[in-house]
Amino acid sequence: MSPIEQVLTAAKKINEQGREPTLALIKTKLGNSIPMRELIQGLQQFKSMSAEDRQAIPSSLATAKETQDGQTSLSQSEQADRILQLESALNELRNEFKALKSQFDNLQQSHMNKEPDTKCM
C-alpha cells in the first residue's frame, strides 16, 4: 500500500467515525512514517473525492492484501520483516527471563544461607 493509499484509508476510517479528517488525526493514526508532503497530498485528494470514490477506498490500514477467503496475507518481505521483529522481541524476553531467574536464584540461595532466627521474645 502506497503512502497516499495509507493516508486515504486513514482519512476514510476517521470519516466513518463521524469526524472530519485532519492532518493531526491522520498523523496520529499513521504515526511518523509518512512525510508531511504526502499527508497533505492524500488529505487534499480525499477531500476532493465524491462519496462514491470514498467508498472505493480500502478499509484496512494494514499493508496486507485481502485474499478470497477473507484472511490477510503479507508479502514475503513483510513476513521477513515481521519475523525479524518477533525474533528480536523473543531474544529480549529470553534475556530478561535469564536475568530474573538469576536474581531469583540469588535471593533463594541467600535465604537458604541465613541462619534461622531461634530467639523468641
Side-chain angles (χ1 to χ4, degrees):
M1 186 176 276
S2 74
I4 296 291
E5 289 171 330
Q6 290 179 15
V7 173
L8 292 172
T9 301
K12 179 182 178 182
K13 283 192 168 272
I14 293 166
N15 189 260
E16 287 173 345
Q17 295 170 350
R19 301 186 319 195
E20 182 68 26
T22 63
L23 286 175
L25 289 173
I26 293 171
K27 191 167 183 158
T28 300
K29 202 162 214 37
L30 296 177
N32 292 326
S33 61
I34 298 178
M36 184 61 75
R37 178 179 52 83
E38 292 184 14
L39 287 170
I40 293 168
Q41 184 181 357
L43 180 58
Q44 288 173 340
Q45 186 176 339
F46 180 82
K47 287 183 175 183
S48 68
M49 290 177 147
S50 67
E52 292 174 355
D53 291 338
R54 289 179 180 184
Q55 289 299 325
I57 299 171
S59 295
S60 173
L61 273 177
T63 57
K65 296 175 278 278
E66 287 291 324
T67 60
Q68 290 178 349
D69 61 359
Q71 296 178 345
T72 57
S73 64
L74 299 173
S75 73
Q76 286 183 340
S77 64
E78 292 168 330
Q79 288 176 355
D81 289 344
R82 186 66 178 139
I83 289 170
L84 288 174
Q85 290 173 346
L86 292 171
E87 286 176 343
S88 175
L90 178 61
N91 286 333
E92 288 179 32
L93 289 171
R94 282 182 177 155
N95 290 336
E96 276 186 62
F97 175 76
K98 285 178 186 176
L100 289 171
K101 187 173 183 327
S102 176
Q103 288 176 356
F104 176 76
D105 290 344
N106 289 341
L107 285 171
Q108 192 174 29
Q109 188 64 35
S110 68
H111 180 70
M112 293 175 114
N113 290 339
K114 283 186 178 178
E115 292 182 25
D117 189 12
T118 57
K119 292 182 181 177
C120 293
M121 292 192 175

